Amino acid sequence: MCIASVSSSVAIQNEKILREEMPLIIEIQNIPPSFMMRVHEKNESALATEPDDFEGCENETIKGKVSMAQLANLKIIATQLNTCSEPGDLDLLIRHIVTGGQVVVESREKEYCRQFLLAISNLLPIGCIKLATYKEQYLPEYSSRFNLIGGPHNMDIPLEVSDVMVFRVSPRDVSIVDIEQMSLVNCVIEVRRRPENDGSNGPLPRIVNRYRDLLLDSDVTDTILETALRTTREGWMLKAKICYQMTKQLSHPQVFEHITGCGVEDQQVVSYWTAGLSNAYKLHVLTSIQQSQTSTAR
């Protein structure tokens, strides 16, 4: 398929997606404008809404698009996990992220935590990102407060926190101390801990296969990857919206019968992404249902 056809197809798909942006719970340390644009741009299937918490970001300049460096780092993470880690670790990471599991990144350098977490955040809709780029210690409430969190080299995470995947990022060259020169390409990424429920007993959600194929395809440039990730998020957010609408009108077992392309293996993804819908959207759905019921009653 030619590039023009791909662009046309993407444009048509974008027109079909409802536009409603997700709220964000986020604690920020030096988050670049490129990431923050994702919170405000209207093409994240959304109309811009004010995030709940912009800690340390009141004066951040909002401009630009998703950083190509983030996408390059995302491909670096995928490549390392696919070639230098245990078989299945890449699928495990993606599945863990899109189903709401917690990812902890440990490093002696805060910058590496930040780069890793910003990269993988591109796999989630804005409303599902609860990010703390760096915390000096792991507190009990963090298990439910954040799904993406960075910390020091040997962060003490209680064993009772079972739904967590822990990574350690270490530089190959310890002499690099200039933040501007730091990059995940110069790092070793290790899996230090895997979640107790790794999902290995069942089929993978379709979005996991989609993401993995995109990240490992050498022909997918960063620009194409940005578009593909965005349209994939939007498509699955549309499923989440349908799911939310149906839960207000049908019993739970019937809900997923009305969502095209949603098998049993996809239900956890859709349910989790439904939690990322904004309060404004949920209120709109409830109001529409009430008005419809009132009209029918008359």
Side-chain angles (χ1 to χ4, degrees):
M1 185 181 292
C2 66
I3 297 298
S5 298
V6 172
S7 300
S8 175
S9 176
V10 169
I12 293 173
Q13 183 176 359
N14 285 346
E15 287 297 323
K16 293 180 180 179
I17 301 297
L18 295 175
R19 300 186 175 280
E20 182 260 333
E21 184 144 311
M22 308 302 109
L24 176 66
I25 302 176
I26 186 166
E27 292 197 4
I28 300 170
Q29 292 193 11
N30 302 317
I31 298 298
S34 57
F35 174 78
M36 296 309 300
M37 184 60 186
R38 283 192 57 211
V39 180
H40 291 274
E41 61 184 3
K42 293 185 178 181
N43 62 2
E44 180 72 27
S45 64
L47 294 174
T49 57
E50 187 68 19
D52 297 328
D53 184 2
F54 272 164
E55 181 177 320
C57 197
E58 293 80 359
N59 298 318
E60 188 72 63
T61 302
I62 309 300
K63 62 182 179 180
K65 295 185 177 180
V66 173
S67 166
M68 293 299 104
Q70 290 177 30
L71 301 178
N73 280 332
L74 185 56
K75 295 183 78 170
I76 290 168
I77 294 168
T79 300
Q80 282 209 34
L81 291 182
N82 189 57
T83 58
C84 305
S85 189
E86 290 189 11
D89 273 346
L90 175 57
D91 286 348
L92 176 58
L93 171 62
I94 298 173
R95 181 188 180 279
H96 194 61
I97 292 171
V98 300
T99 56
Q102 185 179 66
V103 175
V104 174
V105 181
E106 301 177 346
S107 180
R108 289 192 172 93
E109 299 292 341
K110 296 180 181 180
E111 177 63 14
Y112 290 134
C113 294
R114 187 184 73 88
Q115 289 189 21
F116 191 108
L117 293 168
L118 290 184
I120 64 174
S121 73
N122 285 282
L123 303 180
L124 285 172
I126 287 294
C128 290
I129 299 173
K130 300 179 182 180
L131 167 67
T133 55
Y134 198 86
K135 292 291 187 181
E136 291 294 344
Q137 60 180 333
Y138 190 99
L139 300 180
E141 62 266 25
Y142 290 174
S143 62
S144 58
R145 183 175 177 185
F146 302 110
N147 58 340
L148 306 177
I149 182 170
H153 195 62
N154 288 301
M155 200 171 192
D156 185 16
I157 304 172
L159 292 177
E160 56 265 28
V161 179
S162 60
D163 192 27
V164 63
M165 191 169 187
V166 182
F167 292 85
R168 178 173 293 172
V169 180
S170 306
R172 289 189 172 93
D173 185 354
V174 295
S175 66
I176 299 178
V177 294
D178 186 349
I179 290 182
E180 293 184 359
Q181 295 183 27
M182 288 182 178
S183 169
L184 294 185
V185 73
N186 300 315
C187 291
V188 174
I189 299 171
E190 304 173 83
V191 180
R192 303 293 295 177
R193 181 169 159 183
R194 295 170 177 84
E196 291 183 5
N197 179 19
D198 59 9
S200 58
N201 295 327
L204 290 169
R206 280 174 244 196
I207 192 173
V208 175
N209 297 317
R210 168 67 170 166
Y211 277 156
R212 184 220 308 119
D213 293 345
L214 286 171
L215 296 177
L216 296 180
D217 190 339
S218 58
D219 292 328
V220 176
T221 65
D222 293 344
T223 302
I224 295 176
L225 180 61
E226 189 277 330
T227 301
L229 291 178
R230 172 163 43 82
T231 54
T232 299
R233 290 193 307 264
E234 290 174 348
W236 282 78
M237 279 308 297
L238 182 56
K239 297 180 192 296
K241 291 175 181 178
I242 296 173
C243 178
Y244 182 78
Q245 294 173 26
M246 293 298 100
T247 57
K248 301 305 173 184
Q249 302 174 74
L250 300 172
S251 62
H252 185 74
Q254 298 176 295
V255 168
F256 293 99
E257 298 175 6
H258 297 267
I259 306 176
T260 303
C262 182
V264 174
E265 69 275 13
D266 303 310
Q267 293 181 10
Q268 189 177 359
V269 177
V270 174
S271 296
Y272 173 55
W273 287 37
T274 298
L277 293 169
S278 70
N279 290 332
Y281 177 79
K282 292 176 180 178
L283 179 60
H284 170 72
V285 170
L286 293 176
T287 301
S288 298
I289 292 175
Q290 290 172 356
Q291 291 176 346
S292 175
Q293 291 174 340
T294 301
S295 299
T296 303
R298 292 175 181 173

